Amino acid sequence: QFDSFCKYARYYYQDQFVDAFDPESAVLCCAGPIDGGSCPKAWRMRVDDPLILVRLEELHVDHEYDLNRVCALWKQALGPKPASWYSGERRLRRRAVCDLLFKMSTGTGKGSLRPSAACERLGLQEEVEEQVPLRI
């Protein structure tokens, strides 16, 4: 079942994830804290900058939804003996589960992952969990 899940995720999400690190503008930048505002470090860098591989470690990808909560809801919905990674006691929308786990935010739409610089995040997961009802 895990192989099937990985195959689905790679097929539908891998290209958009890789493409997020090669924007048309040729500039990577921090999207800022999930709860709003701009990056306190104002992290920006051209992808052709010779230092990009060194500085890229300062950038990471945050989930807009609490990953533990997404996985707990997913597991709960499937029940103890699922027939597949998306079908058990309930049949889940495969796309919805994977969107919550893998969809990248871009300048054109909201996703579940977004590039951000390693900045302080005070109480972030609790805030997101309170504000965003998850439906899978």
mmCIF file of all heavy atoms in Angstrom, residues 91-129:
data_model
loop_
_atom_site.group_PDB
_atom_site.id
_atom_site.type_symbol
_atom_site.label_atom_id
_atom_site.label_comp_id
_atom_site.label_asym_id
_atom_site.label_seq_id
_atom_site.Cartn_x
_atom_site.Cartn_y
_atom_site.Cartn_z
ATOM 1 N N ARG A 91 -13.990 5.861 2.416
ATOM 2 C CA ARG A 91 -13.220 6.042 1.187
ATOM 3 C C ARG A 91 -12.839 7.519 1.111
ATOM 4 O O ARG A 91 -13.695 8.393 1.104
ATOM 5 C CB ARG A 91 -14.038 5.643 -0.031
ATOM 6 C CG ARG A 91 -13.253 5.719 -1.304
ATOM 7 C CD ARG A 91 -13.996 5.040 -2.449
ATOM 8 N NE ARG A 91 -13.267 5.154 -3.681
ATOM 9 C CZ ARG A 91 -12.269 4.368 -4.040
ATOM 10 N NH1 ARG A 91 -11.897 3.397 -3.248
ATOM 11 N NH2 ARG A 91 -11.649 4.541 -5.184
ATOM 12 N N LEU A 92 -11.549 7.779 1.086
ATOM 13 C CA LEU A 92 -11.056 9.153 1.090
ATOM 14 C C LEU A 92 -10.789 9.628 -0.325
ATOM 15 O O LEU A 92 -10.530 8.843 -1.229
ATOM 16 C CB LEU A 92 -9.754 9.232 1.887
ATOM 17 C CG LEU A 92 -9.838 8.721 3.321
ATOM 18 C CD1 LEU A 92 -8.464 8.774 3.961
ATOM 19 C CD2 LEU A 92 -10.827 9.525 4.113
ATOM 20 N N ARG A 93 -10.834 10.925 -0.488
ATOM 21 C CA ARG A 93 -10.448 11.521 -1.768
ATOM 22 C C ARG A 93 -8.924 11.564 -1.808
ATOM 23 O O ARG A 93 -8.306 12.288 -1.034
ATOM 24 C CB ARG A 93 -11.052 12.905 -1.903
ATOM 25 C CG ARG A 93 -12.585 12.856 -1.974
ATOM 26 C CD ARG A 93 -13.204 14.219 -2.007
ATOM 27 N NE ARG A 93 -12.734 14.976 -0.848
ATOM 28 C CZ ARG A 93 -12.655 16.291 -0.799
ATOM 29 N NH1 ARG A 93 -13.017 17.026 -1.807
ATOM 30 N NH2 ARG A 93 -12.225 16.904 0.282
ATOM 31 N N ARG A 94 -8.340 10.750 -2.679
ATOM 32 C CA ARG A 94 -6.877 10.668 -2.752
ATOM 33 C C ARG A 94 -6.259 12.040 -2.955
ATOM 34 O O ARG A 94 -5.261 12.383 -2.334
ATOM 35 C CB ARG A 94 -6.453 9.739 -3.898
ATOM 36 C CG ARG A 94 -6.804 8.298 -3.640
ATOM 37 C CD ARG A 94 -6.374 7.421 -4.761
ATOM 38 N NE ARG A 94 -7.157 7.723 -5.956
ATOM 39 C CZ ARG A 94 -7.006 7.105 -7.111
ATOM 40 N NH1 ARG A 94 -6.110 6.163 -7.250
ATOM 41 N NH2 ARG A 94 -7.758 7.421 -8.140
ATOM 42 N N ARG A 95 -6.850 12.823 -3.826
ATOM 43 C CA ARG A 95 -6.304 14.147 -4.136
ATOM 44 C C ARG A 95 -6.321 15.048 -2.894
ATOM 45 O O ARG A 95 -5.374 15.801 -2.654
ATOM 46 C CB ARG A 95 -7.123 14.761 -5.279
ATOM 47 C CG ARG A 95 -6.485 15.902 -5.973
ATOM 48 C CD ARG A 95 -5.305 15.411 -6.777
ATOM 49 N NE ARG A 95 -4.783 16.457 -7.619
ATOM 50 C CZ ARG A 95 -4.260 16.228 -8.786
ATOM 51 N NH1 ARG A 95 -4.207 15.021 -9.267
ATOM 52 N NH2 ARG A 95 -3.760 17.203 -9.477
ATOM 53 N N ALA A 96 -7.388 14.969 -2.098
ATOM 54 C CA ALA A 96 -7.483 15.814 -0.905
ATOM 55 C C ALA A 96 -6.396 15.456 0.110
ATOM 56 O O ALA A 96 -5.759 16.338 0.689
ATOM 57 C CB ALA A 96 -8.865 15.684 -0.271
ATOM 58 N N VAL A 97 -6.188 14.158 0.331
ATOM 59 C CA VAL A 97 -5.148 13.730 1.269
ATOM 60 C C VAL A 97 -3.789 14.235 0.800
ATOM 61 O O VAL A 97 -3.037 14.853 1.566
ATOM 62 C CB VAL A 97 -5.126 12.184 1.404
ATOM 63 C CG1 VAL A 97 -3.911 11.728 2.193
ATOM 64 C CG2 VAL A 97 -6.409 11.675 2.044
ATOM 65 N N CYS A 98 -3.484 14.001 -0.463
ATOM 66 C CA CYS A 98 -2.165 14.390 -0.981
ATOM 67 C C CYS A 98 -2.006 15.903 -1.098
ATOM 68 O O CYS A 98 -0.900 16.421 -0.911
ATOM 69 C CB CYS A 98 -1.901 13.701 -2.313
ATOM 70 S SG CYS A 98 -1.554 11.939 -2.112
ATOM 71 N N ASP A 99 -3.081 16.634 -1.377
ATOM 72 C CA ASP A 99 -2.988 18.096 -1.384
ATOM 73 C C ASP A 99 -2.551 18.600 -0.016
ATOM 74 O O ASP A 99 -1.708 19.492 0.089
ATOM 75 C CB ASP A 99 -4.324 18.740 -1.762
ATOM 76 C CG ASP A 99 -4.562 18.814 -3.258
ATOM 77 O OD1 ASP A 99 -3.674 18.413 -4.049
ATOM 78 O OD2 ASP A 99 -5.655 19.269 -3.644
ATOM 79 N N LEU A 100 -3.132 18.045 1.041
ATOM 80 C CA LEU A 100 -2.773 18.472 2.391
ATOM 81 C C LEU A 100 -1.320 18.143 2.725
ATOM 82 O O LEU A 100 -0.674 18.860 3.476
ATOM 83 C CB LEU A 100 -3.695 17.819 3.427
ATOM 84 C CG LEU A 100 -5.132 18.313 3.429
ATOM 85 C CD1 LEU A 100 -5.997 17.428 4.308
ATOM 86 C CD2 LEU A 100 -5.204 19.762 3.887
ATOM 87 N N LEU A 101 -0.814 17.078 2.158
ATOM 88 C CA LEU A 101 0.558 16.662 2.448
ATOM 89 C C LEU A 101 1.602 17.292 1.530
ATOM 90 O O LEU A 101 2.706 17.591 1.965
ATOM 91 C CB LEU A 101 0.673 15.132 2.354
ATOM 92 C CG LEU A 101 -0.129 14.331 3.372
ATOM 93 C CD1 LEU A 101 -0.067 12.853 3.025
ATOM 94 C CD2 LEU A 101 0.379 14.589 4.772
ATOM 95 N N PHE A 102 1.259 17.477 0.243
ATOM 96 C CA PHE A 102 2.296 17.780 -0.736
ATOM 97 C C PHE A 102 2.094 18.999 -1.620
ATOM 98 O O PHE A 102 3.040 19.435 -2.269
ATOM 99 C CB PHE A 102 2.483 16.585 -1.685
ATOM 100 C CG PHE A 102 2.763 15.299 -0.991
ATOM 101 C CD1 PHE A 102 1.914 14.228 -1.150
ATOM 102 C CD2 PHE A 102 3.863 15.154 -0.170
ATOM 103 C CE1 PHE A 102 2.163 13.023 -0.516
ATOM 104 C CE2 PHE A 102 4.126 13.959 0.475
ATOM 105 C CZ PHE A 102 3.274 12.888 0.294
ATOM 106 N N LYS A 103 0.900 19.543 -1.753
ATOM 107 C CA LYS A 103 0.682 20.614 -2.723
ATOM 108 C C LYS A 103 1.482 21.858 -2.349
ATOM 109 O O LYS A 103 1.422 22.345 -1.234
ATOM 110 C CB LYS A 103 -0.801 20.957 -2.819
ATOM 111 C CG LYS A 103 -1.094 21.930 -3.926
ATOM 112 C CD LYS A 103 -2.576 22.114 -4.128
ATOM 113 C CE LYS A 103 -2.832 23.038 -5.288
ATOM 114 N NZ LYS A 103 -4.258 23.293 -5.440
ATOM 115 N N MET A 104 2.235 22.369 -3.308
ATOM 116 C CA MET A 104 3.070 23.541 -3.073
ATOM 117 C C MET A 104 2.296 24.825 -3.327
ATOM 118 O O MET A 104 1.566 24.922 -4.306
ATOM 119 C CB MET A 104 4.284 23.524 -4.008
ATOM 120 C CG MET A 104 5.328 22.491 -3.672
ATOM 121 S SD MET A 104 6.156 22.781 -2.101
ATOM 122 C CE MET A 104 7.163 24.205 -2.489
ATOM 123 N N SER A 105 2.489 25.801 -2.461
ATOM 124 C CA SER A 105 1.943 27.134 -2.709
ATOM 125 C C SER A 105 2.763 27.785 -3.805
ATOM 126 O O SER A 105 3.970 27.615 -3.880
ATOM 127 C CB SER A 105 2.038 28.004 -1.455
ATOM 128 O OG SER A 105 1.209 27.538 -0.451
ATOM 129 N N THR A 106 2.081 28.538 -4.621
ATOM 130 C CA THR A 106 2.775 29.324 -5.645
ATOM 131 C C THR A 106 2.209 30.724 -5.574
ATOM 132 O O THR A 106 1.294 30.988 -4.808
ATOM 133 C CB THR A 106 2.530 28.738 -7.057
ATOM 134 O OG1 THR A 106 1.130 28.851 -7.349
ATOM 135 C CG2 THR A 106 2.968 27.291 -7.142
ATOM 136 N N GLY A 107 2.707 31.593 -6.387
ATOM 137 C CA GLY A 107 2.183 32.949 -6.421
ATOM 138 C C GLY A 107 0.752 32.996 -6.941
ATOM 139 O O GLY A 107 0.064 33.981 -6.779
ATOM 140 N N THR A 108 0.298 31.918 -7.571
ATOM 141 C CA THR A 108 -1.020 31.924 -8.195
ATOM 142 C C THR A 108 -2.089 31.213 -7.381
ATOM 143 O O THR A 108 -3.244 31.257 -7.732
ATOM 144 C CB THR A 108 -0.960 31.256 -9.584
ATOM 145 O OG1 THR A 108 -0.483 29.917 -9.416
ATOM 146 C CG2 THR A 108 -0.037 32.016 -10.509
ATOM 147 N N GLY A 109 -1.715 30.523 -6.311
ATOM 148 C CA GLY A 109 -2.737 29.822 -5.548
ATOM 149 C C GLY A 109 -2.196 29.285 -4.247
ATOM 150 O O GLY A 109 -1.007 29.214 -4.022
ATOM 151 N N LYS A 110 -3.115 28.908 -3.374
ATOM 152 C CA LYS A 110 -2.735 28.421 -2.064
ATOM 153 C C LYS A 110 -2.529 26.911 -2.111
ATOM 154 O O LYS A 110 -3.311 26.194 -2.692
ATOM 155 C CB LYS A 110 -3.832 28.756 -1.059
ATOM 156 C CG LYS A 110 -3.480 28.403 0.357
ATOM 157 C CD LYS A 110 -4.523 28.894 1.312
ATOM 158 C CE LYS A 110 -4.098 28.583 2.737
ATOM 159 N NZ LYS A 110 -5.020 29.108 3.708
ATOM 160 N N GLY A 111 -1.478 26.458 -1.509
ATOM 161 C CA GLY A 111 -1.218 25.037 -1.372
ATOM 162 C C GLY A 111 -1.044 24.702 0.091
ATOM 163 O O GLY A 111 -1.375 25.499 0.959
ATOM 164 N N SER A 112 -0.533 23.543 0.383
ATOM 165 C CA SER A 112 -0.330 23.139 1.757
ATOM 166 C C SER A 112 1.111 23.259 2.202
ATOM 167 O O SER A 112 1.409 23.181 3.367
ATOM 168 C CB SER A 112 -0.807 21.704 1.956
ATOM 169 O OG SER A 112 -2.198 21.649 1.785
ATOM 170 N N LEU A 113 2.021 23.423 1.273
ATOM 171 C CA LEU A 113 3.431 23.618 1.585
ATOM 172 C C LEU A 113 3.858 24.963 1.033
ATOM 173 O O LEU A 113 3.410 25.385 -0.008
ATOM 174 C CB LEU A 113 4.292 22.523 0.932
ATOM 175 C CG LEU A 113 4.025 21.093 1.337
ATOM 176 C CD1 LEU A 113 4.834 20.155 0.454
ATOM 177 C CD2 LEU A 113 4.381 20.871 2.778
ATOM 178 N N ARG A 114 4.753 25.619 1.736
ATOM 179 C CA ARG A 114 5.254 26.885 1.229
ATOM 180 C C ARG A 114 6.685 27.075 1.673
ATOM 181 O O ARG A 114 7.032 26.743 2.792
ATOM 182 C CB ARG A 114 4.386 28.050 1.691
ATOM 183 C CG ARG A 114 4.188 28.096 3.167
ATOM 184 C CD ARG A 114 3.123 29.060 3.583
ATOM 185 N NE ARG A 114 3.736 30.241 4.125
ATOM 186 C CZ ARG A 114 3.239 31.443 3.990
ATOM 187 N NH1 ARG A 114 2.142 31.637 3.328
ATOM 188 N NH2 ARG A 114 3.840 32.467 4.504
ATOM 189 N N PRO A 115 7.528 27.594 0.766
ATOM 190 C CA PRO A 115 8.916 27.816 1.153
ATOM 191 C C PRO A 115 9.011 28.962 2.151
ATOM 192 O O PRO A 115 8.365 29.983 2.004
ATOM 193 C CB PRO A 115 9.613 28.173 -0.161
ATOM 194 C CG PRO A 115 8.541 28.530 -1.109
ATOM 195 C CD PRO A 115 7.256 27.952 -0.612
ATOM 196 N N SER A 116 9.794 28.757 3.188
ATOM 197 C CA SER A 116 9.989 29.817 4.173
ATOM 198 C C SER A 116 11.390 29.705 4.754
ATOM 199 O O SER A 116 11.953 28.629 4.833
ATOM 200 C CB SER A 116 8.947 29.722 5.291
ATOM 201 O OG SER A 116 9.055 28.489 5.940
ATOM 202 N N ALA A 117 11.939 30.840 5.147
ATOM 203 C CA ALA A 117 13.265 30.828 5.761
ATOM 204 C C ALA A 117 13.125 30.328 7.192
ATOM 205 O O ALA A 117 12.055 30.352 7.780
ATOM 206 C CB ALA A 117 13.863 32.229 5.734
ATOM 207 N N ALA A 118 14.202 29.853 7.750
ATOM 208 C CA ALA A 118 14.184 29.338 9.115
ATOM 209 C C ALA A 118 14.022 30.517 10.069
ATOM 210 O O ALA A 118 14.974 31.142 10.480
ATOM 211 C CB ALA A 118 15.466 28.579 9.399
ATOM 212 N N CYS A 119 12.767 30.859 10.389
ATOM 213 C CA CYS A 119 12.464 31.997 11.260
ATOM 214 C C CYS A 119 11.707 31.490 12.495
ATOM 215 O O CYS A 119 11.234 30.379 12.530
ATOM 216 C CB CYS A 119 11.590 33.035 10.588
ATOM 217 S SG CYS A 119 11.421 33.029 8.835
ATOM 218 N N GLU A 120 11.543 32.342 13.471
ATOM 219 C CA GLU A 120 10.806 31.988 14.674
ATOM 220 C C GLU A 120 9.340 31.778 14.326
ATOM 221 O O GLU A 120 8.757 32.513 13.558
ATOM 222 C CB GLU A 120 10.913 33.089 15.736
ATOM 223 C CG GLU A 120 12.307 33.350 16.247
ATOM 224 C CD GLU A 120 13.161 34.157 15.286
ATOM 225 O OE1 GLU A 120 12.601 34.981 14.541
ATOM 226 O OE2 GLU A 120 14.375 33.946 15.267
ATOM 227 N N ARG A 121 8.732 30.777 14.925
ATOM 228 C CA ARG A 121 7.318 30.468 14.693
ATOM 229 C C ARG A 121 6.680 30.245 16.060
ATOM 230 O O ARG A 121 6.723 29.147 16.588
ATOM 231 C CB ARG A 121 7.170 29.208 13.860
ATOM 232 C CG ARG A 121 7.979 29.222 12.618
ATOM 233 C CD ARG A 121 7.038 29.291 11.451
ATOM 234 N NE ARG A 121 7.790 29.158 10.225
ATOM 235 C CZ ARG A 121 7.911 30.136 9.370
ATOM 236 N NH1 ARG A 121 7.364 31.289 9.578
ATOM 237 N NH2 ARG A 121 8.579 29.954 8.268
ATOM 238 N N LEU A 122 6.108 31.264 16.640
ATOM 239 C CA LEU A 122 5.562 31.166 17.989
ATOM 240 C C LEU A 122 4.152 30.601 17.969
ATOM 241 O O LEU A 122 3.225 31.232 17.470
ATOM 242 C CB LEU A 122 5.564 32.541 18.666
ATOM 243 C CG LEU A 122 6.927 33.202 18.761
ATOM 244 C CD1 LEU A 122 6.794 34.612 19.313
ATOM 245 C CD2 LEU A 122 7.863 32.376 19.613
ATOM 246 N N GLY A 123 3.976 29.413 18.506
ATOM 247 C CA GLY A 123 2.661 28.809 18.615
ATOM 248 C C GLY A 123 1.988 28.539 17.288
ATOM 249 O O GLY A 123 0.770 28.470 17.219
ATOM 250 N N LEU A 124 2.750 28.379 16.247
ATOM 251 C CA LEU A 124 2.189 28.283 14.907
ATOM 252 C C LEU A 124 1.262 27.101 14.727
ATOM 253 O O LEU A 124 0.146 27.247 14.250
ATOM 254 C CB LEU A 124 3.322 28.201 13.894
ATOM 255 C CG LEU A 124 2.882 28.017 12.458
ATOM 256 C CD1 LEU A 124 2.105 29.226 12.001
ATOM 257 C CD2 LEU A 124 4.076 27.786 11.578
ATOM 258 N N GLN A 125 1.692 25.900 15.090
ATOM 259 C CA GLN A 125 0.869 24.728 14.821
ATOM 260 C C GLN A 125 -0.463 24.800 15.561
ATOM 261 O O GLN A 125 -1.490 24.446 15.012
ATOM 262 C CB GLN A 125 1.613 23.452 15.188
ATOM 263 C CG GLN A 125 2.738 23.173 14.216
ATOM 264 C CD GLN A 125 3.403 21.839 14.470
ATOM 265 O OE1 GLN A 125 3.204 21.228 15.503
ATOM 266 N NE2 GLN A 125 4.193 21.413 13.517
ATOM 267 N N GLU A 126 -0.448 25.283 16.784
ATOM 268 C CA GLU A 126 -1.696 25.403 17.530
ATOM 269 C C GLU A 126 -2.639 26.381 16.850
ATOM 270 O O GLU A 126 -3.833 26.141 16.753
ATOM 271 C CB GLU A 126 -1.425 25.846 18.976
ATOM 272 C CG GLU A 126 -0.717 24.821 19.827
ATOM 273 C CD GLU A 126 0.784 24.719 19.530
ATOM 274 O OE1 GLU A 126 1.361 25.641 18.920
ATOM 275 O OE2 GLU A 126 1.376 23.700 19.882
ATOM 276 N N GLU A 127 -2.111 27.505 16.361
ATOM 277 C CA GLU A 127 -2.950 28.487 15.680
ATOM 278 C C GLU A 127 -3.567 27.904 14.421
ATOM 279 O O GLU A 127 -4.751 28.059 14.170
ATOM 280 C CB GLU A 127 -2.124 29.720 15.297
ATOM 281 C CG GLU A 127 -1.697 30.560 16.469
ATOM 282 C CD GLU A 127 -0.794 31.703 16.033
ATOM 283 O OE1 GLU A 127 -0.761 32.032 14.840
ATOM 284 O OE2 GLU A 127 -0.126 32.244 16.903
ATOM 285 N N VAL A 128 -2.763 27.222 13.639
ATOM 286 C CA VAL A 128 -3.261 26.640 12.398
ATOM 287 C C VAL A 128 -4.317 25.596 12.708
ATOM 288 O O VAL A 128 -5.361 25.549 12.078
ATOM 289 C CB VAL A 128 -2.107 26.029 11.567
ATOM 290 C CG1 VAL A 128 -2.644 25.215 10.411
ATOM 291 C CG2 VAL A 128 -1.200 27.136 11.058
ATOM 292 N N GLU A 129 -4.061 24.770 13.712
ATOM 293 C CA GLU A 129 -5.021 23.720 14.055
ATOM 294 C C GLU A 129 -6.348 24.319 14.484
ATOM 295 O O GLU A 129 -7.402 23.812 14.143
ATOM 296 C CB GLU A 129 -4.436 22.862 15.176
ATOM 297 C CG GLU A 129 -5.271 21.639 15.461
ATOM 298 C CD GLU A 129 -4.538 20.675 16.361
ATOM 299 O OE1 GLU A 129 -3.346 20.418 16.138
ATOM 300 O OE2 GLU A 129 -5.193 20.191 17.297
#
